[in-house]
Each structure stands twice: as structure tokens, then as C-alpha cells.
Amino acid sequence: MSSKRIAVSGAPRRELRFSFDGKALTGIEGDTIASALLANGVRIVGRSFKYHRPRGIFGAWSEEPNAVVDVALDGVHTPNVRATTHTLAEGMEVRSVNTGAGAERDRNALIDRFGQFLPAGFYYKTFLWPDWHMFEPRIRAMAGLGRLDPETEPPADCPLVSAHCDLLVVGAGPAGLAAARSGAASGQRVMLVDDQEKTGGSLLHRAARIDGEVGTDWAQAVAGDLARTGHTVLARTTAFGIYDHNLVALWQRRPDAPDALWHVRAKQVVLATGAIERPLVFPDNDRPGVMSAEAALVYLRRHGILVGERIVLATNNDKSHAVAVALREAGASVIVADTRSSAGAAAGPVVRSGAKVEAVHGAGGVEAVNVGGDRIEADCLLVSGGFTPTVHLLCQAGGKLRFDESIAAFVPGDPVAGIAIAGAANGQFALSEVLAEGHRAGGGGGKLPATDSEDESYGIEAAWPAPAGKARQWVDFQNDVTVKDIELAARENFRSVEHLKRYTTLGMATDQGKTSNMNGLAAMAAITGRTIAETGTTTYRPPFVPVPFTVVAGRRRGEFFNPVRRLVLENEHRAGGAVFREYGGWLRPAWYGSGSGADEVAREARQARETVGILDGSPLGKIEVIGPDAGTLVDYNSYQTISTLKPGRIRYGFMLTESGVIYDDGVVSKVSDEHYVVSCSSGHVPGVVARLEEWQQDRFDRARVFIHNSTPQWATLTATGPRSRDLVASLSLDVDLSDEALPHMSFSDGSFAGGPARVARVSFTGDRSYEVSVPSSRAKALSDAMQEAGRTLDAVALGSEALLMLRAEKGYIIAGKDTDGTTMPHDLGVTGPRDRRKGEFVGKRSLFTENAMREDRPQGVGLTVPDGAPPLPTGAHAVETANGKRRSIGFVTSSYESPSLGRPIALALVERGLSRMGEEIEFFHLGRTMRATIAPVCAFDPEGARING
Amino acid sequence: MQRFPCPFCGPRDETEFHFAAESGKTRPEPAGEVGAERWAEYLHLKKNPKGPTREIWVHTTCGEFFLMERDTLTHHVAGSSALGAES
């Protein structure tokens, strides 16, 4: 136990109780989980992914590779959070991941003993025989991350916020603050976002004075001014992805509200995302107690934590010498081991130059360090291999990088339109220059902030990883990738960085290689004798940090995932005992009653044939086509000619795609020469409106024809069955219902309850039917009136399932169910328009292609089964056997046990079906074979007498 | 997410739009005089260029089809115009 809290600046802070792996601990307000663990001297916070090596906290923010934990708070379980970024809360239960019995005592720790036998690709190479999938579950169980709690489903309460601004600044360090301030001063609407709780970035732990103020005070003042003057300042908000046309996705963590997802469209984006310190790579550099030097400074300055008492600080640059000074002032003894031959002047008393770490001792944490042949007792080893600019967002937006030898880092190359990058993210580490870059990037408005402290020097000399015999040197801590793994990849010719990544999994862990990618590709460069620039980087993709799926999904879950359309009369149907299902996007009554579905459906179907059924047909399309050219457009849209109808008459027809395939079927009513109503099937309404619009705009005079979808404005209740006319007659609709005045396939306008009503004789059951349409506002009145009238007629409420059965008895198709993506009208025996119709219509030419005229096309037919046989399964394949090989020649599209006929019926698409009437063929389904005879599609009332019965 | 300019509604997110066709395609007719290859070309063949392209899109929320010039490689949108207005 060497790390401890020594002092906290500012006002006293509230104590917070929490637990880690079941052990009760105490932190203070403002702690991250990581700082609280360090304050309690916790060293081992997790086990590595593959070897189960003990690991401690390395970083202080989102770069952290080791400290991944599961968190439970107030019954909400959140897996795989970074201890370094997650704010501590009272009562938090924190658990290490991928450990058998906690981080300290892990029952899989033994695996590390075999580490030398487990190089990259080991599992895939070894467990090939007999089948990788046999071994996979147990291997996966040994490696891994946190656990999801199946008991708690997180609420769908994360909102999506859309915003626009002139200038979006990502990062509220000195560069970002300067950019936001100058942007506001030049009249732009500014959004400033930062992923931390407090504004200031590096100013929060590196002392500086700007414009005469202490750096942190200056930062507070700038952010405060922005917020006060109407700009948007978001803390705890991570910009995790940048997409086309400057759309930036933000993940906002709100203290007393659910997280929010932001979509921000910015005219200009300034990336002031800083830089991340990378480790030096040497044998056993993954021991608990090895930490980023910059992180140690963060813990000291922001959380009052001294990470060790006897510290060795290994570095290759001047920046971390300031860390050594600060730690000494705080009471630690610090020995600086600098890889450079002449270490900088700022170094302080105990500095070794040209010094490399040769070994780290201590299985459970750093105990001693070998430097330049000497063994130095130490409880903490800080490392700084230099800083890698955080260019992720720029590269996601297509930005290219160039390698700058002078700072041993990839820096932004050619500018990207709409995006500026400033400060450490741009490879600039001198504060005065950082401020100047930020100021310019924001537009240059107002006064340039000046620093009155002297710029710290950087003075880095690259110290890249190199092979070192048998010793294991860690490059990627989280995924356990060592320099030897990279050597192996090179040896097996996985030399491209993209191959290196996939072969070794370098940079593929949840930290996405923030501390490891640079070292990894530098190692590959050294091993293959190329320059780092030649080796290049892997592709940067969103998200920058892991974002919870709950945030991405937001409220688009459950019933909001794909919201159903609802009937005006839903409540009435519910009161009537309806069981609802979704049909073509609409929530409709499937059947009524509490019996089994099959029984209720059979009851409804039987009774509707005997008396009268009442069905809610409101979703049926009612698309009005109006104007002098309405008839031409409706004809062009249809397979059948429509405009030759007399006003008041209705015609059934198909609509084809340009490929000649049946897109939908339906009826069209002719109101007048300049007014038609297209009544397509419920699920196809948006599609039919779209195609009418497309053709209208493409080849018609828009002043002469107009399309209006009035489907939602009308409610339609259908009465069908022998007593349907009696029922409609009692509604007093002011319509002559005699067959002479209102024959089948005609309509008449009347009135209902003081408003308009339309009565159409269209039948989807084969029985006499009346569709009564009234404005949706009068739907309930109409429903009540029909229920009332139905009482004396023994009427039955008819659900969709019974309707589907009744129409199948008649051989009426559902487009898309009884047809597929190849079915043309002549495949259903409807050839008139193809053979005789003059003029153009959609899909016409396709009906005459070689393929369309083949004789072996699947055709729509009915099927009968032998006496006593059960219904055929829908989807069963019709098969024929030739030369010992069985071949599918079609399939069953609809199949029911018909209560009216007392036998099964079915519809099918079968090759040459129309010329095979009476032929018995074989069907195959899930290993069973059965037989059925091809029959006409219409099984019930083939003469059609009931339509007027 | 790209942003496209509807000539009638202004800039909107790409989720509000559907691609309709490459511009300059004319429907060959009358059907009786159109050869199989010509019809197949109309139905199935797209130029799908890499780089600048002229396309017909529809803004689904207002229902208007329009011409859009954009670059399939860089996603730069050069502009859009109402149909019939560009000549």
C-alpha cells in the first residue's frame, strides 16, 4: 500500500462510502473510482484479458487500459466502465472484471505461467481440431470483460438532442478555451464541450498564468462568460464521433438525469482534444504501480493523492521532469531515469541520463526497478514515452497525418474543410503557442490570451520499443500484446498495421489502443526496417470511447423502435375483447374473445358466412387522384384500364413495378372524370402514394393532376355476409341500397350523423359486402350504430385472421404473400391487359421479355388435400423428382382449415400450375412429405352467387 | 450523416431523402418498339460513377423530386435544383 491521499485543496469535501470487490472503502466527493481506489492504497484493480496478469491503474482519464470495472448503483448495473473516468457516488459497488474471486486473488492467474506458450493467434491455431466452436465457450469464459446483469434492463430514457452552431469546440483546455472565446468575440454561435467535470484541461494539473490570472481561474472565467452570453458550454460531454458534413455525436453524462445523446451540426469544428501520454516499453512494464507520469500529476494536483513514496520516473522528455519536481515537493523521493544522454536542466537533483529500465521486480506490484545495472527499491514506477496527439476525430473525418520526427508523433497533415485543430492535438506543446493556435482556430476575434509564465520545454527524444530477447515487454496492456507478439506477426508476414492489429488484437480492446497503438506501430517499423511514416497508422473509427448502447438507442426501443399505426377505434375493439396483432404496420384486431385463437377465428369466419360480420377496414388506402389528367395517371399506374369506368363504379386491378412484377392489388373508384380514389392494401399506402407522386412529377403536368392521401381522415367499417344489407339499411345513411341502384363494384355517397358517408360494394370475402366510410371523427358513432343494429341480426365482430381465411377460401390474393418478387399478372391467369391493352403503363415492356414468357413460370393455384389430411404447412415446397434428384417447383403461400367447407384449403405458386389442374403433386416440409392436388384458386362459391346473396 | 439541400425546404438530414435515379435516364417507349437490351439497360444498368454525379432524389417529407449534384467520393454536395428548372 503506497499510494495515499495527502491533502485536498479547497473546501472540505463530503465522504463517500463504496466497495471494491466486496471490501468497504471510503472516498470523497469529486473522486473518480480510480482516485478513490488510489486514496485507499489499492494496487491491483484488475486482471489482464488473456494472461490474467495483475494490473494497476495506469492513466487518469479515457486512455486507461487496465482499470475496467463493473459498477452497481441504486439497482442499476453498468458493466465495463473506466474507473478513471467514472465519478464515484455514495453506495457504489465496484467489481473488477475478468477475475475469478476479485482482482487480488484470481483463480485463473495460473494462465500467466504458460504465457510464453500462448503467443498471438495461439488459440485459433491450436484448437482447430475437431472444431474451434467446441473449445470456444470455455476459452471465452476465461478471457473477457464485465458481465451484463440479465435481471436489470436499463430504462429507455436517454434523450436525443439535435443542435446547430457556427463553431463547435471539442475540448476545454487552453486551446479550446482560446478558440471558443475568439469564436464568440467574432460573432459566432459557439458550443464548447469537454468530457471532464471541470473546465481547464491541462490547466487543472499543470500550473500556468494566463492574462494575469491563475490558469484554472482563467478557464472558469472564460467558460462562465460564454455560458452567460448565450453560448452553450457542456461539461462531462464526450465528442465520440464525427460524421459526414460536420455532424458531431456527443455523449453527455448528466448528474441528476439520464445520459443524453447530442447530434450537433456545426459550420466549423475546432478540435482541441489534447494529447495522451504513452508508456515506455521495457520488460515487465505492466506491473501494478507502473503509471503514466502525467497521470501521477493529475492525481496529485486534482485529488491530493501521492501515488508512491519511493518513485522512479522513467522518461524521454522534459515535460515529466516537472512531475518529478511536484512529487518531491509533496514528500516523495524521486529518481529520474532519463533515456536521453543529456537530460534537461529542469531535472532537479537525482537524475540519471542515458538510463533505461531493464527490469521491474514485484509480482503483485512494483518493489524494485533495475536501471543502468543498479537495483533501486521503489513502490512506484512512473513512465513517459512522450505525448501522442489525440487526432481521432480529425482522422474519422478523413484527415491525413504526417509524422513529425521532432516530436516523435503523428500530427495533422493537410487541412480538412470545416475542421481546425489546435494545441497539443496539433502537436503544439508550448502554452503561448497553444493559446495562439486556439485563438486563430476560433476565428481570431477579440484579444489573444497571453501567458505570463514561461513555456515549458518538451525536448523529446524518441525511445521506441525494441525486441529484448526472452523478456516480455507489454505494448497493449488491455489485450496483452507484447513486443514478441509483434515480432511474430512480422515473421508471419502480417506486416501492414491493419494486419498487425487484427492478428495480434493490438489496439482492439475497449481502450482502442490510446496508449499502445503508437508504440505498436513503431515496434513494427523497427522490426521490419521501415520508417514509422512508411508503416503508418490504422484507421480511426468512432466511437472515441465506448458509449453505452442505451445512449445510442435512446428512446427508440420497445414500442418506439418501430411504432405501429393505431386505429381510431382501438379502444372500442379492446372493449370488445380484441386480441391485437400488427398487420402491415397497423395494430389491428386479430380476433375477438378469450378462447384459443384458432377457435375464435373459426367461429368468426363461420358466423360471418351465416349472418353478418363487422370488420374495421380503416387502414385500407384512400388515395385521391384529382384533376383533368387524373384518369391518365391512374391508368398509367395500373395494369387494368380504369378510366373507362362510369362515375360511381369501382374496378379491381394490379399495380406493377417497372419489372412487371405485381407490387400491389386493390380497387379504384371513379368519382368523376377528374376524381379517382385508389384503395390499395393497408401496408402499401405509403409506397403507392410515393409511386403515384413519382410518376406524376416525372411525366405529367403538375397543374393538371394532384395526389392526396386521405387514408387517415376516414374510418371504414365493413359489413359482410348474407345480412349485411339489413345491417347497413338500419344505419339511415340516405343511400339507395337496392342492387339496381348499388350493384357490386359500385359506390354511393350519403350521410351519417350530419356528416358525409360513402358506401362501397366491394367484397374481400366473396359475400355481399358494404364498406361504410365516415370521417374519423364519427368513427365511434358509426361503430356504436353498427353494433346496435347488429344485435338483432346476430352480427359478429370479425378480426383480421378470419378475414384472411375468408378471402383465401375465395382465392383472393394478398400481394407479397401469395405472390413473390417474380409474380406477374399472367402468372395468376390475368392476361387481358397484357394481350390487348394499347398505350403505356408501368411495367408493360417487362411483361414481354423472354423470362416473362417462359412456360415454366410459377403460377398461382389452389390446392386440395386427400380426405382427412391436415392442412398443408404454409411454406411447404412443391417438389418433383427427376433422375433421383428432388427439386422445388414452388411453395404453399396460404393455408387454412376452412370452417365453411369443413376441409383444408391452400394457395400456392407452382411451376406451370395453371396447366396442371387435377394433377397430384408432392410437397416437402421439414423432413415430411405429403401430397395435394392442384385445383382452381377459388374453393368456395365458385359461381359467385353469394356476392348478391 | 450527410445533409442534402431540398430546393423547396432547405438543408435537411439525409434520412429524410431517398435516392430515385441517375439523372438523364429516359424511359424507352412505346413498349412494342423497345428491344430487350434497351429495356434491360433502362431497368438494371447504372453508371454508379466514382466522383461527381447528377442524380434525382426525393425529399420524402415534402414529396418533391429534384436534381442533386454531388460527389460520391468526397460526399461534397455541389447543389440541387427543382426538376425542369435546370435547363
Side-chain angles (χ1 to χ4, degrees):
Chain A
M1 303 268 174
S2 51
S3 62
K4 62 179 186 222
R5 178 124 36 210
I6 51 169
V8 184
S9 59
R13 298 196 228 169
R14 192 162 69 94
E15 285 207 339
L16 301 173
R17 283 161 302 171
F18 74 108
S19 69
F20 178 65
D21 281 343
K23 194 172 171 191
L25 301 171
T26 310
I28 58 172
E29 211 162 27
D31 264 337
T32 60
I33 294 172
S35 68
L37 290 172
L38 287 170
N40 285 278
V42 174
R43 247 191 169 183
I44 301 173
V45 296
R47 293 276 166 168
S48 68
F49 188 77
K50 185 171 162 188
Y51 300 124
H52 288 259
R53 302 254 299 182
R55 291 282 163 79
I57 292 162
F58 177 83
W61 196 242
S62 56
E63 75 280 9
E64 173 61 34
N66 296 333
V68 175
V69 294
D70 288 353
V71 169
L73 180 66
D74 300 334
V76 178
H77 181 101
T78 314
N80 300 328
V81 304
R82 303 215 112 60
T84 47
T85 58
H86 211 75
T87 310
L88 187 74
E90 172 69 26
M92 208 173 238
E93 290 170 45
V94 181
R95 292 208 160 268
S96 55
V97 302
N98 196 29
T99 57
E104 200 82 33
R105 283 188 301 276
D106 174 25
R107 76 169 83 92
N108 286 320
L110 191 66
I111 289 178
D112 187 43
R113 301 258 189 97
F114 303 105
Q116 58 177 310
F117 306 115
L118 304 175
F122 167 78
Y123 290 105
Y124 295 110
K125 287 173 180 170
T126 309
F127 295 101
L128 274 176
W129 187 90
D131 181 6
W132 158 250
H133 296 288
M134 212 177 94
F135 304 100
E136 187 183 6
R138 292 176 80 175
I139 292 170
R140 291 252 184 272
M142 283 197 294
L145 289 164
R147 291 181 193 285
L148 281 172
D149 178 4
E151 300 301 311
T152 61
E153 186 183 338
D157 56 2
C158 297
L160 169 65
V161 187
S162 291
H164 295 257
C165 65
D166 297 320
L167 183 71
L168 171 67
V169 180
V170 180
L177 288 163
R181 198 172 81 148
S182 83
S186 52
Q188 302 179 78
R189 274 185 309 145
V190 177
M191 274 184 83
L192 173 65
V193 303
D194 190 275
D195 57 357
Q196 305 225 10
E197 175 89 32
K198 285 189 174 157
T199 307
S202 63
L203 298 173
L204 294 168
H205 62 275
R206 284 197 177 262
R209 295 186 69 83
I210 299 172
D211 285 346
E213 288 183 88
V214 173
T216 47
D217 294 343
W218 176 81
Q220 291 290 325
V222 171
D225 285 347
L226 285 166
R228 260 193 307 283
T229 49
H231 301 282
T232 307
V233 179
L234 301 177
R236 300 175 304 274
T237 301
T238 310
F240 64 85
I242 186 161
Y243 303 86
D244 282 315
H245 300 169
N246 269 8
L247 182 81
V248 183
L250 313 178
W251 167 32
Q252 183 188 21
R253 296 166 298 280
R254 303 183 293 180
D256 298 309
D259 292 0
L261 178 69
W262 288 67
H263 284 178
V264 179
R265 190 73 77 168
K267 286 191 186 139
Q268 176 78 17
V269 175
V270 173
L271 301 175
T273 41
I276 291 170
E277 191 172 53
R278 56 181 177 265
L280 288 167
V281 177
F282 43 77
D284 287 331
N285 60 330
D286 69 326
R287 301 263 195 228
V290 177
M291 183 186 270
S292 149
E294 194 76 3
L297 190 61
V298 170
Y299 288 118
L300 178 67
R301 288 275 159 75
R302 294 183 59 181
H303 299 288
I305 289 165
L306 190 56
V307 294
E309 286 162 3
R310 289 158 296 137
I311 298 171
V312 173
L313 192 156
T315 183
N316 65 350
N317 62 77
D318 290 345
K319 277 251 169 199
S320 44
H321 285 258
V323 179
V325 172
L327 292 168
R328 269 192 208 111
E329 281 171 11
S333 77
V334 185
I335 294 171
V336 177
D338 199 313
T339 58
R340 296 171 297 174
S341 48
S342 62
V350 191
V351 176
R352 298 181 177 222
S353 297
K356 282 189 179 150
V357 176
E358 288 130 13
V360 184
H361 305 284
V366 175
E367 288 165 10
V369 181
N370 284 14
V371 176
D374 293 341
R375 181 184 163 105
I376 304 170
E377 301 297 318
D379 59 2
C380 177
L381 172 55
L382 300 181
V383 289
S384 175
F387 292 82
T388 306
T390 306
V391 292
H392 297 64
L393 292 173
L394 182 80
C395 293
Q396 284 178 24
K400 297 276 181 282
L401 305 176
R402 95 190 140 73
F403 190 71
D404 184 343
E405 296 281 355
S406 70
I407 57 167
F410 279 102
V411 294
D414 297 332
V416 176
I419 300 177
I421 187 158
N426 197 31
Q428 183 54 258
F429 295 97
L431 183 59
S432 60
E433 288 299 320
V434 165
L435 291 166
E437 276 191 9
H439 185 73
R440 270 198 305 278
K447 188 173 133 307
L448 171 69
T451 170
D452 29 3
S453 38
E454 192 154 329
D455 285 338
E456 291 175 334
S457 62
Y458 184 19
I460 184 172
E461 279 177 25
W464 299 118
K470 290 184 81 173
R472 282 195 288 175
Q473 312 179 76
W474 261 262
V475 176
D476 184 328
F477 296 135
Q478 196 177 5
N479 264 358
D480 272 340
V481 179
T482 65
V483 176
K484 278 201 290 189
D485 291 319
I486 297 171
E487 288 181 83
L488 177 70
R491 206 157 60 234
E492 300 194 345
N493 210 26
F494 294 98
R495 291 167 175 236
S496 134
V497 279
E498 297 287 359
H499 289 155
L500 166 68
K501 165 180 164 176
R502 284 156 184 82
Y503 188 65
T504 62
T505 72
L506 171 75
M508 289 175 75
T510 62
D511 65 343
Q512 289 284 287
K514 289 185 181 66
T515 55
S516 61
N517 280 343
M518 194 60 222
N519 279 333
L521 70 93
M524 178 54 93
I527 291 162
T528 55
R530 292 174 295 176
T531 65
I532 289 172
E534 283 164 356
T535 307
T537 68
T538 51
T539 307
Y540 292 82
R541 296 187 182 88
F544 174 66
V545 294
V547 178
F549 281 126
T550 48
V551 174
V552 178
R555 288 169 178 160
R556 291 163 299 172
R557 281 163 53 190
E559 63 175 327
F560 295 126
F561 178 65
N562 189 13
V564 288
R565 288 164 183 266
R566 291 173 176 276
L567 299 168
V568 176
L569 293 173
E570 181 176 323
N571 288 340
E572 283 68 27
H573 295 308
R574 261 186 218 291
V579 175
F580 285 87
R581 293 272 188 280
E582 191 229 304
Y583 297 90
W586 286 83
L587 196 64
R588 303 180 68 169
W591 63 80
Y592 297 80
S594 54
S596 82
D599 289 349
E600 302 287 12
V601 171
R603 172 185 59 77
E604 291 171 18
R606 194 182 305 115
Q607 200 176 337
R609 291 269 189 233
E610 286 166 6
T611 60
V612 53
I614 301 170
L615 170 92
D616 190 340
S618 302
L620 271 177
K622 289 168 276 277
I623 304 161
E624 304 193 58
V625 184
I626 304 164
D629 286 351
T632 335
L633 174 55
V634 169
D635 284 348
Y636 182 72
N637 179 57
S638 309
Y639 178 60
Q640 287 86 351
T641 307
I642 305 293
S643 60
T644 50
L645 283 171
K646 291 198 182 91
R649 293 302 171 107
I650 299 171
R651 185 165 288 160
Y652 172 83
F654 298 126
M655 285 171 255
L656 312 184
T657 68
E658 275 284 55
S659 302
V661 170
I662 295 170
Y663 172 73
D664 194 21
D665 67 342
V667 297
V668 183
S669 310
K670 180 169 179 175
V671 182
S672 73
D673 283 339
E674 298 194 357
H675 188 180
Y676 294 79
V677 179
V678 178
S679 186
C680 58
S681 52
S682 313
H684 278 130
V685 174
V688 171
V689 171
R691 59 181 272 153
L692 284 166
E693 279 284 349
E694 179 165 9
W695 290 118
Q696 180 241 18
Q697 292 183 39
D698 191 49
R699 57 190 286 146
F700 286 83
D701 182 344
R702 304 181 61 166
R704 293 176 60 83
V705 59
F706 178 77
I707 295 151
H708 172 65
N709 177 16
S710 62
T711 307
Q713 277 123 320
W714 296 87
T716 303
L717 290 175
T718 302
T720 177
R723 293 186 190 167
S724 56
R725 179 161 53 180
D726 298 340
L727 190 144
V728 176
S730 63
L731 298 174
S732 316
L733 297 173
D734 200 15
V735 169
D736 184 348
L737 296 174
S738 70
D739 285 357
E740 295 70 41
L742 190 64
H744 180 54
M745 297 305 266
S746 69
F747 71 90
S748 188
D749 288 334
S751 64
F752 174 75
R758 177 168 288 172
V759 184
R761 275 197 67 186
V762 179
S763 176
F764 200 38
T765 62
D767 287 348
R768 175 185 289 275
S769 299
Y770 297 84
E771 289 180 354
V772 183
S773 298
V774 296
S776 292
S777 56
R778 292 185 172 81
K780 187 176 179 329
L782 179 65
S783 174
D784 291 346
M786 285 177 87
Q787 298 295 337
E788 183 59 35
R791 221 158 271 154
T792 54
L793 298 169
D794 199 17
V796 63
L798 195 60
S800 292
E801 288 301 319
L803 179 71
L804 286 170
M805 179 186 286
L806 295 173
R807 65 87 209 176
E809 290 174 346
K810 289 296 295 179
Y812 297 157
I813 63 155
I814 303 279
K817 175 172 169 62
D818 301 298
T819 66
D820 68 8
T822 66
T823 310
M824 296 179 174
H826 55 271
D827 299 326
L828 304 179
V830 185
T831 55
R834 180 191 66 170
D835 297 343
R836 290 189 293 279
R837 199 179 147 186
K838 305 273 183 282
E840 284 298 317
F841 57 88
V842 179
K844 182 178 185 183
R845 177 62 184 84
S846 293
L847 301 177
F848 300 94
T849 62
E850 201 180 313
N851 186 51
M853 295 196 286
R854 279 165 56 159
E855 286 180 356
D856 61 350
R857 293 177 62 82
Q859 295 171 326
V861 294
L863 297 170
T864 57
V865 296
D867 283 348
L872 293 160
T874 303
H877 277 266
V879 291
E880 71 176 12
T881 307
N883 304 324
K885 282 192 174 171
R886 195 154 56 184
R887 184 178 76 87
S888 171
I889 56 168
F891 57 94
V892 176
T893 61
S894 291
S895 179
Y896 300 92
E897 174 73 39
S898 162
S900 304
L901 294 165
R903 64 173 172 86
I905 53 155
L907 301 174
L909 288 167
V910 178
E911 280 181 19
R912 301 174 204 269
L914 291 171
S915 55
R916 291 176 132 159
M917 286 299 147
E919 192 180 317
E920 192 181 65
I921 55 174
E922 196 174 38
F923 283 83
F924 180 84
H925 185 70
L926 300 176
R928 286 190 297 133
T929 56
M930 53 223 104
R931 305 191 72 80
T933 305
I934 296 198
V937 290
C938 180
F940 182 79
D941 183 33
E943 307 78 27
R946 293 179 62 102
I947 206 82
N948 289 310
Chain B
M1 192 189 313
Q2 301 183 67
R3 212 146 71 124
F4 294 150
C6 170
F8 307 94
C9 308
R12 294 287 190 277
D13 283 348
E14 67 176 286
T15 48
E16 293 186 16
F17 296 85
H18 280 170
F19 172 79
E22 290 176 347
S23 81
K25 250 189 178 181
T26 41
R27 185 178 193 263
E29 47 190 56
E33 293 170 20
V34 179
E37 284 197 13
R38 176 77 188 89
W39 185 249
E41 186 191 338
Y42 164 71
L43 273 188
H44 304 300
L45 296 188
K46 313 265 190 290
K47 289 199 187 81
N48 195 20
K50 178 181 178 181
T53 175
R54 287 161 63 86
E55 297 166 334
I56 309 296
W57 285 72
V58 59
H59 186 207
T60 52
T61 46
C62 76
E64 295 290 334
F65 289 77
F66 63 92
L67 178 84
M68 180 154 67
E69 294 184 63
R70 64 185 198 101
D71 191 305
T72 56
L73 189 64
T74 63
H75 286 183
H76 173 71
V77 179
S80 68
S81 55
L83 289 176
E86 80 269 28
S87 54

